[in-house]
Amino acid sequence: MERLEGMEEEEEEEEEEESWEGEQEGGRSAEASRSRVIVHLDLDCFYAQVEMIRRPELRAKPLGVQQKSIVVTCNYVARNLGVRKLMAVEEAKEKCPHLVLLNGEDLTPYRETSYRVTELLQEMCPLVERLGFDENFVDVTELVEKRLEQHEGPEDLAVAGHVYGNRALDLHDGTHLRLLVGSHLASAFRSSLATTLGLSSCAGVASNKLLAKLVSGTFKPNQQTLLLPESHQDLLRNLGGLQKIPGIGSKTFKRLETLGIETVWHLQSFPTAVLEKELGLPLARRLQRLSFGEDDSPVAPSGPPRSLSEEEAFKSCSSEAQVKENLEKLLLNLLERLHQDGRRPHTLRLALRRGSSASRRFHRESRQCPLPPHLLHRFHKGDSNLLASLLELLLKLFRKMVPPEVPFRLNLLSVSFSNLKEPPGSTRGSIGFYLKEISTPHQEAAGGHQEASQLQAPSRSEATKRKRLVEEEEASCPTSRSSSSPEPSRIQLPPDVDPQTFSELPREVQEELVAQWRSREATSKPLEKPKATRRRRRNPPRAPEQLNTLWRYMEPRWEGTPGPPGDSEEVAEDLGTF
Ligand code: DCP
Ligand code: MG
Ligand code: MG
């Protein structure tokens, strides 16, 4: 399949722009954001690193990852020989005749590694937000504060990595001190990624997401950079094009260009009143704030992906038979991924792009529909008709965009499943599963159900995930508190439940559990043994002391950790049932 995530970033640039700006509205106040410490991590030559892990004998060779006729990335050996990211294969081979090219059209290994990176970071700090495949933001503000409290100052007075502009730190300045500790944390994150997953990365440490992202690539590869407030303006003015600022996509860039604004300095010094008149007050203000490096957007912890998509680009696709063939291929891949994910989609979406390569940008059209109820229960059962039914739905969506009698020429098709939910009765996301898993070793051994690894005390990451499951459960099924429900503290707990754990659960969850146990008693049916999920197999529980030294900076603080974004954010365009 084609480089989906990268392409999405490119194609939906305006969308990304919206979301970056949108986040600012709900953000913290500018005052609070000044005191934050944010780390941005970006993996080095990501796809090429994944390939080098799979084939270590290629490490010392110039290596490129090819999708269609483009080298989407290459290792640093190749970069030293003149090969660049997104170079045409032909040109790359001219620059470097010995370039080894691997096909990178199957994104599975990159996707898997990407999630392992985020999971590992989440084990070290709960506030991790994914950005694309190879980037993560980590809000380390609280870890820094804790560290400073514990040691009454930084443990090590030397900055880890570089300081942008080579400025000296003033250790009497609280902001400098916090950033200094942030640099130690960033270094620990990077070491952990290197030792655990064998991946090298770059990091930026600054007081907000925008600046951390902008500074992280200053020294590459495998290096990190701290940005002091005194250097904000230098960094911004040295950026070059305005498009380097995340949040300024092509469309906005063009609008600014027509006003004669081409650099950060132009934008900063452009009369605000004129900008407001031209672009409207909210956009004008946001853009000018971005140009000064102001960004209040919080690091929003990422949950599992909200949708799964696959797409295929081609030179031309102009018959229904070709469309069908491509859709079937995409569906097969998606069904395999859905099977591994374990959730069920409730919305199906088809996107296409027409015309020549010149009109590629911003010309995606899409239609989506809810999946009819009779199809929902056929997911994950190896139902051979499922594929045919989904294909039929997709063709109907297709015909809404391309009427039968109209000739067409497409260069991209994309299918996505969204509004993903745990299937009813799944123990994976249920609170029953949560309690079962954190039962004591003694109780589990007596029950004899759990695998050996699960008999150990849960690692913090596992516990955090379970906590999230509870939060998801709470979010998705708000239980109206019944006045007749019993006081949970007075009920008789089943033998496999740890009373301490139970007492710490929110009241609503306790009540729901009680209801679940009652119905279990009524039917005398034991709780199902939870299925091991792929995510969990990929990241088996580890004892906290095995994780890394960052544990000493932390105390449990799961209470404030929001769960994955809810489905309420999904807006399904109901095209009626088919
Ligand atoms: N990617 C893609 N298509 C794009 C951009 C990126 O397929 N248009 C993929 C390939 C990259 C990965 O995304 O390996 C991450 O993108 P980066 O821009 O971070 O590039 P790299 O990680 O490869 O290199 P660097 O070391 O410069 O970060
Ligand atoms: Mg990268
Ligand atoms: Mg990147």
Side-chain angles (χ1 to χ4, degrees), residues 392-431:
E392 201 182 313
L393 280 180
L394 283 172
L395 287 171
K396 283 183 176 161
L397 291 174
F398 177 72
R399 285 303 174 200
K400 295 224 173 231
M401 290 182 274
V402 184
E405 59 289 353
V406 179
F408 61 88
R409 184 160 170 244
L410 310 177
N411 58 38
L412 180 132
L413 278 168
S414 164
V415 178
S416 94
F417 285 121
S418 57
N419 208 351
L420 298 163
K421 295 179 182 165
E422 293 293 343
S426 155
T427 48
R428 198 168 72 128
S430 86
I431 41 190

Side-chain angles (χ1 to χ4, degrees), residues 297-458:
S297 62
V299 171
S302 307
R306 278 187 287 165
S307 63
L308 300 179
S309 15
E310 291 275 343
E311 67 185 36
E312 182 74 44
F314 17 74
K315 285 216 168 83
S316 171
C317 168
S318 49
S319 73
E320 181 157 326
Q322 281 175 304
V323 169
K324 250 177 143 165
E325 190 189 326
N326 280 300
L327 291 179
E328 193 170 327
K329 220 162 43 174
L330 297 173
L331 270 176
L332 278 170
N333 284 333
L334 275 173
L335 288 176
E336 169 64 25
R337 283 174 61 197
L338 263 180
H339 178 67
Q340 287 170 349
D341 182 279
R343 289 173 295 167
R344 278 184 196 170
H346 288 64
T347 305
L348 177 66
R349 179 167 176 250
L350 173 71
L352 55 83
R353 194 175 58 202
R354 305 178 203 236
S356 65
S357 54
S359 62
R360 278 164 69 108
R361 293 175 82 90
F362 314 121
H363 281 81
R364 271 180 195 228
E365 299 158 51
S366 68
R367 289 286 184 280
Q368 63 183 34
C369 67
L371 283 164
H374 70 273
L375 272 191
L376 289 181
H377 72 269
R378 284 162 53 183
F379 277 89
H380 312 302
K381 280 196 176 169
D383 187 318
S384 53
N385 294 326
L386 178 63
L387 183 74
S389 307
L390 290 170
L391 197 55
E392 201 182 313
L393 280 180
L394 283 172
L395 287 171
K396 283 183 176 161
L397 291 174
F398 177 72
R399 285 303 174 200
K400 295 224 173 231
M401 290 182 274
V402 184
E405 59 289 353
V406 179
F408 61 88
R409 184 160 170 244
L410 310 177
N411 58 38
L412 180 132
L413 278 168
S414 164
V415 178
S416 94
F417 285 121
S418 57
N419 208 351
L420 298 163
K421 295 179 182 165
E422 293 293 343
S426 155
T427 48
R428 198 168 72 128
S430 86
I431 41 190
F433 173 39
Y434 169 75
L435 270 184
K436 188 82 181 165
E437 263 204 294
I438 54 179
S439 307
T440 62
H442 170 74
Q443 287 161 337
E444 285 305 338
H449 277 315
Q450 300 273 320
E451 291 169 16
S453 62
Q454 290 173 314
L455 297 179
Q456 295 162 8

Side-chain angles (χ1 to χ4, degrees), residues 266-319:
H266 285 158
L267 183 52
Q268 287 179 345
S269 51
F270 199 83
T272 308
V274 183
L275 202 63
E276 286 172 1
K277 195 165 158 256
E278 294 293 333
L279 303 176
L281 189 106
L283 181 59
R285 290 220 174 139
R286 276 182 205 139
L287 291 177
Q288 266 188 334
R289 292 188 64 225
L290 287 176
S291 74
F292 284 103
E294 292 169 18
D295 171 27
D296 297 340
S297 62
V299 171
S302 307
R306 278 187 287 165
S307 63
L308 300 179
S309 15
E310 291 275 343
E311 67 185 36
E312 182 74 44
F314 17 74
K315 285 216 168 83
S316 171
C317 168
S318 49
S319 73

